[in-house]
Amino acid sequence: MKPTRITSWHISCGSDTERSLRESIFSIANGYIGTRGFRPDERGKHAAWRSTFISGFYEYIRPGITDLVNQPDFSAMALRLNGEDTESMHVFDFTQSLDMSCGLLEWSFFLESRDGLRTKIKMEKFISMANRHIAALRISVMPVNWSGSLYLETGIDASVQNLPISDNQLHNNIEFVQMWNIPEIKPIDGGAVLTAKTFPSHRQVTMAYVLNADENAALTTDDYSVTSVLETTLKCGTCWQAEKLVAVACFRDGDSENIARSELELIRHESFDALLDRSKKAWGRLWETSDVVLEGDETWQGGVRYIIFQLLQAAPRHDPHASIGARGLTHGRYKGCYFWDTEIYMLPMFTMTQPEIAKNLLLYRYNTLPDAVKSAKNFSAKGARYSWMASDTGFEQCETWDTGCCEIHVTADIAFAFGKYTASTGDDQFLCCYGTELYIQTARYWVDRFNYSAKEDRYHLLFVKGPDEYCGVTSNDFYTVSMARQNLRLAIDAVSEMKQRWPEEWQDLSSRLSFNDNEIAVWQNIIDKSVLTFDEKRGLWLQDVTFEYMEPLDIKKEKDGDKPLYLRIGYDRLQRYQVLKQPAVLMYMALCPEDFSKDEIETAWNYYEPKTLHDSTLSFGIHALVASRLGKTPEAVRYFEKSLFLDLFDLMNNTGHEGIHMASLGASWQALIFGFGGLSHDGEYFKVVSRLPEQIHAMRYRFFFKGHPYEAEIKQGDDPIIRELT
Ligand code: BGC
């Protein structure tokens, strides 16, 4: 049985769905605060499992290494019915559900006490999309066959901990880290304000709340938490309710206590429903441009909305110093770090449907350019070198030496995303104010990173790891060289555009960067003389220089379902088999199909696809996209379904303990819109063709191009219709 039920706007689970999986899938956020979908009254095994995160809020756990901080739990709740603790009661008819139109999370269930007293419970929670500081909870309790006492405790609990997870996926960490010093707690009318500071950097968060109910609550505190305690008498068949309104602010916003207090003051007399209504309207505005309407399979429709929903709620839109981590705000896996996942996988959806959010995400990279310049220096290189894993600063967070030192394509990936953003939005100011500087600095890094061989008059890229992390450390990796060339081309074009269109700004920038016109010739030389290997006989682009020396592996025999092979075969051995973890040549072809003939892509598909293990969740959606463009619709559908339902159906068996795979969501969106929905552009014109599989009878999506909104409507058997919206 599938762990999740999916309808067009809702997902839901019963109690038979594993708890950590439920907690991941039902994560809710607003780009600022995010919480996993744990039931408020379930205290859980350990304080590290009650996870709440704030975008960009990291703290050091070792010199130079940060973790995304698990924030105080503002949902914390305990209930006693007729004197009995609900945690020990029998739960039945349990449903957890999420309304994706507005981000409302709901738990509804019955409890039965030892003496057979039955109670209907509903808990609701949302994090406001209208005001990033606000969250709200509502609890409804109705005794079914009894009358008697209710005891409710709820407040803010800072006794939560972090469980930093190693980069090494084979290493299971059991070391909990206490991030919070003893908080300061102040009572307010109807609630309290808790301000906590992290250890060691004193980064501050404030959570202020009020509990609105007919009864008055008494306030109790201990070292790490503040609790409102309320007692009342329930009547059989009558529903009792309480609402808790929360305001959250942190050091990144300024004076967190002041902000949280004033945000709470503004809403403290409002109802849960009124606040939800405002949030719903804000969600409505997001859905207006980002929704994709499918006719056909309802599960696909719901799955598609889920990927869009998760991406929209993960994206910081207020803060150009934060981005989206590999697991968004749904889990601390990868220490909450930012990867190429954001620019290459997730960004296209934002660029096409929410360009303001896309710009904000790119600004995070621009704002960490000074760190990338320092990082390049640390690697004895000029220019700017972006880190494989980054957090609130741009400094390297990857602790695995080969990946951290050699998976350098991220620098070119970021430049590429800048290029795509300006090409499709037409936001030239962005090129002038941010893009050109980033292109020049990153191009300078490539100049130092390539080795020139005077004997051959060629540039080699040595000691490099491509996106296929099972390729070891290699030379002239196809993906990295190709993306570095793109980066250099972007720099050349930007300099020429700056000179023509913004001579004054160019004057400032070029003198600030001590730019020398001779640099352009070197960039062009690297583009012309770097090495990619093409086998003329087979018409095949080779991944790198060593791939064909590797030993073949019978994947069908070795691989057990979707379980990653690194769990069974040691990395050292795995890297000497002729297998791919995820697409590499095909990855580049997915990004730049216009650089290749259909035959070249088909040949690459026939060669690499059977050798690909899909041990990374980044793999399926990209294969779906390439297959769809090649007209291999059954393969495209097979890969798309894997990517689309990866988390909802827990296909890799790790969504519960690792969180939602944000890059896979982005890849699914690209497969849907650029693949089945046939959208493409060359920077000047866009085009829509129909590649609908039989599962989609018709499809409607909106997008922006050069600042104008459009709607594409595609029906099986008909030509696509494009409307410019006003
Ligand atoms: C993948 C990388 C990805 C990282 C974070 C790894 O397993 O191989 O491509 O960036 O996960 O999602």
Side-chain angles (χ1 to χ4, degrees):
M1 212 185 77
K2 302 270 193 276
T4 319
R5 289 183 293 278
I6 306 172
T7 59
S8 57
W9 280 105
H10 293 86
I11 59 160
S12 60
C13 289
S15 55
D16 47 347
T17 299
E18 200 258 321
R19 177 169 147 183
S20 68
L21 176 62
R22 267 193 269 136
E23 293 185 354
S24 283
I25 289 175
F26 292 104
S27 294
I28 51 171
N30 63 359
Y32 175 69
I33 322 167
T35 71
R36 284 172 60 74
F38 55 92
R39 213 175 90 192
D41 63 326
E42 255 179 351
R43 285 308 175 102
K45 278 187 258 162
H46 196 283
W49 308 132
R50 281 183 284 131
S51 305
T52 302
F53 300 107
I54 292 182
S55 172
F57 195 132
Y58 296 84
E59 175 57 283
Y60 289 91
I61 46 169
R62 283 186 280 287
I65 298 296
T66 59
D67 199 17
L68 185 63
V69 176
N70 188 11
Q71 300 290 330
D73 175 15
F74 62 79
S75 315
M77 193 178 275
L79 262 182
R80 244 181 278 152
L81 299 173
N82 226 17
E84 193 177 326
D85 203 311
T86 55
E87 253 207 314
S88 58
M89 288 188 187
H90 170 61
V91 178
F92 63 101
D93 282 355
F94 174 90
T95 310
Q96 183 165 1
S97 61
L98 174 68
D99 179 343
M100 295 183 282
S101 70
C102 61
L104 177 66
L105 178 57
E106 199 177 294
W107 299 260
S108 110
F109 51 97
F110 286 86
L111 292 171
E112 188 172 52
S113 73
R114 275 190 302 266
D115 304 331
L117 306 187
R118 293 178 165 212
T119 312
K120 188 174 191 298
I121 308 273
K122 188 153 111 178
M123 293 175 181
E124 294 155 287
K125 175 174 170 181
F126 70 90
I127 298 179
S128 175
M129 201 45 102
N131 177 341
R132 70 176 190 271
H133 297 290
I134 302 300
L137 289 108
R138 173 161 64 191
I139 174 161
S140 313
V141 184
M142 192 186 79
V144 176
N145 58 356
W146 62 279
S147 296
S149 70
L150 169 132
Y151 171 96
L152 170 79
E153 275 183 17
T154 187
I156 312 281
D157 180 2
S159 71
V160 294
Q161 292 187 330
N162 267 51
L163 177 66
I165 302 167
S166 166
D167 299 350
N168 178 350
Q169 282 168 302
L170 300 173
H171 182 79
N172 216 350
N173 191 14
I174 45 163
E175 220 178 283
F176 295 99
V177 179
Q178 177 68 39
M179 291 279 196
W180 297 105
N181 285 303
I182 291 185
E184 201 186 326
I185 294 166
K186 295 178 187 163
I188 54 169
D189 188 19
V193 179
L194 178 146
T195 298
K197 286 185 180 156
T198 53
F199 176 83
S201 317
H202 309 290
R203 296 178 177 181
Q204 182 165 310
V205 70
T206 302
M207 296 191 178
Y209 77 94
V210 284
L211 181 64
N212 292 337
D214 287 343
E215 303 76 10
N216 286 329
L219 211 62
T220 65
T221 59
D222 63 23
D223 276 357
Y224 278 94
S225 62
V226 54
T227 313
S228 294
V229 180
L230 183 154
E231 286 180 79
T232 190
T233 306
L234 301 181
K235 243 174 80 197
C236 182
T238 304
C239 183
W240 176 87
Q241 277 192 340
E243 297 182 353
K244 180 180 179 184
L245 312 182
V246 185
V248 178
C250 76
F251 73 103
R252 296 172 66 84
D253 306 304
D255 177 348
S256 69
E257 185 174 335
N258 227 334
I259 299 170
R261 274 176 180 270
S262 44
E263 290 292 347
L264 187 71
E265 211 39 53
L266 289 174
I267 55 133
R268 58 172 298 138
H269 300 299
E270 297 214 33
S271 69
F272 180 95
D273 284 332
L275 292 171
L276 178 62
D277 201 47
R278 231 176 287 153
S279 178
K280 200 174 186 163
K281 287 198 178 98
W283 266 109
R285 287 190 290 278
L286 291 171
W287 282 116
E288 201 176 304
T289 46
S290 292
D291 193 18
V292 178
V293 183
L294 301 183
E295 268 173 42
D297 190 321
E298 192 182 13
T299 318
W300 274 40
Q301 172 68 85
V304 163
R305 291 213 166 106
Y306 185 74
I307 60 168
I308 299 169
F309 175 81
Q310 280 296 353
L311 284 168
L312 287 174
Q313 62 167 6
R317 49 213 80 201
H318 54 280
D319 180 355
H321 298 272
S323 185
I324 309 178
R327 299 294 180 267
L329 297 171
T330 73
H331 202 275
R333 171 93 185 103
Y334 289 123
K335 300 175 294 214
C337 283
Y338 314 134
F339 290 72
W340 71 312
D341 301 32
T342 319
E343 285 73 23
I344 295 298
Y345 284 79
M346 305 173 213
L347 205 81
M349 183 193 93
F350 296 108
T351 301
M352 300 310 296
T353 74
Q354 304 285 343
E356 282 303 315
I357 296 182
K359 180 174 171 180
N360 199 57
L361 292 169
L362 293 175
L363 282 177
Y364 160 77
R365 293 300 191 175
Y366 177 78
N367 288 328
T368 52
L369 185 60
D371 298 349
V373 171
K374 283 191 196 136
S375 298
K377 273 205 189 87
N378 292 342
F379 279 85
S380 303
K382 295 201 182 69
R385 177 197 190 276
Y386 279 94
S387 301
W388 175 241
M389 290 169 69
S391 61
D392 54 344
T393 71
F395 296 113
E396 188 59 78
Q397 297 299 313
C398 180
E399 296 172 277
T400 318
W401 78 267
D402 58 338
T403 311
C405 292
C406 309
E407 202 155 349
I408 53 176
H409 60 81
V410 58
T411 294
D413 298 330
I414 291 165
F416 181 84
F418 270 65
K420 280 279 171 200
Y421 169 80
T422 22
S424 69
T425 58
D427 183 354
D428 291 346
Q429 280 306 313
F430 189 79
L431 174 73
C432 174
C433 301
Y434 312 108
T436 309
E437 181 177 352
L438 185 131
Y439 298 147
I440 292 176
Q441 293 288 43
T442 47
R444 285 173 169 175
Y445 168 68
W446 292 115
V447 171
D448 254 10
R449 192 55 179 77
F450 277 88
N451 280 79
Y452 180 64
S453 155
K455 201 170 100 199
E456 299 165 274
D457 188 24
R458 303 301 298 263
Y459 286 88
H460 293 281
L461 192 60
L462 309 176
F463 208 66
V464 61
K465 199 183 227 346
D468 165 23
E469 292 177 346
Y470 290 172
C471 69
V473 172
T474 183
S475 295
N476 293 333
D477 167 67
F478 179 87
Y479 178 88
T480 314
V481 172
S482 305
M483 289 299 276
R485 286 183 181 181
Q486 291 273 1
N487 192 159
L488 294 162
R489 240 174 251 129
L490 283 164
I492 295 173
D493 293 348
V495 169
S496 119
E497 208 158 331
M498 285 295 288
K499 283 181 181 170
Q500 276 174 32
R501 295 178 59 188
W502 302 286
E504 268 175 42
E505 285 84 350
W506 173 241
Q507 188 64 35
D508 286 352
L509 182 65
S510 57
S511 75
R512 186 154 60 81
L513 298 182
S514 309
F515 181 80
N516 181 329
D517 263 337
N518 297 336
E519 293 188 57
I520 293 183
V522 183
W523 297 344
Q524 189 60 52
N525 245 340
I526 300 179
I527 294 171
D528 297 339
K529 295 177 182 174
S530 48
V531 180
L532 295 176
T533 316
F534 185 65
D535 179 338
E536 297 280 352
K537 235 164 127 191
R538 288 180 286 175
L540 177 69
W541 288 101
L542 282 164
Q543 177 169 314
D544 61 26
V545 293
T546 52
F547 191 73
E548 297 222 304
Y549 297 129
M550 310 273 192
E551 196 181 317
L553 184 78
D554 184 347
I555 295 185
K556 281 204 181 76
K557 205 169 110 208
E558 297 295 336
K559 191 153 160 140
D560 173 15
D562 287 320
K563 270 201 205 121
L565 211 53
Y566 61 74
L567 296 175
R568 248 176 25 75
I569 301 180
Y571 251 85
D572 177 60
R573 186 69 195 92
L574 205 49
Q575 294 188 78
R576 287 179 288 114
Y577 283 123
Q578 207 181 91
V579 289
L580 290 84
K581 182 181 184 190
Q582 63 202 81
V585 171
L586 287 177
M587 182 73 223
Y588 183 73
M589 291 176 164
L591 296 179
C592 302
E594 62 285 351
D595 288 3
F596 304 92
S597 68
K598 189 166 179 232
D599 279 355
E600 282 173 311
I601 302 178
E602 183 119 33
T603 306
W605 174 276
N606 292 337
Y607 182 78
Y608 293 110
E609 190 265 348
K611 297 179 173 57
T612 305
L613 291 162
H614 312 291
D615 278 3
S616 161
T617 58
L618 278 68
S619 196
F620 302 115
I622 297 303
H623 278 87
L625 169 60
V626 177
S628 162
R629 284 188 182 139
L630 284 174
K632 296 179 185 297
T633 309
E635 281 102 321
V637 167
R638 189 165 55 82
Y639 279 120
F640 180 68
E641 287 198 307
K642 287 224 160 179
S643 191
L644 188 65
F645 299 123
L646 189 106
D647 289 314
L648 286 171
F649 296 162
D650 195 20
L651 298 181
M652 297 284 266
N653 207 19
N654 63 5
T655 296
H657 60 268
E658 287 203 2
I660 300 295
H661 299 83
M662 306 305 297
S664 165
L665 308 175
S668 305
W669 185 91
Q670 294 188 54
L672 181 70
I673 302 299
F674 300 152
F676 301 143
L679 176 66
S680 64
H681 72 84
D682 60 6
E684 270 193 68
Y685 301 103
F686 70 81
K687 196 166 86 182
V688 174
V689 296
S690 169
R691 299 193 199 100
L692 295 186
E694 66 189 25
Q695 288 78 356
I696 305 178
H697 306 155
M699 172 177 184
R700 209 171 63 233
Y701 61 88
R702 291 184 172 183
F703 61 94
F704 287 95
F705 191 68
K706 306 283 183 202
H708 297 280
Y710 295 92
E711 182 172 79
E713 192 172 345
I714 313 175
K715 286 200 174 104
Q716 283 284 6
D718 288 349
D719 287 338
I721 300 169
I722 312 294
R723 290 183 202 97
E724 182 166 359
L725 306 169
T726 44

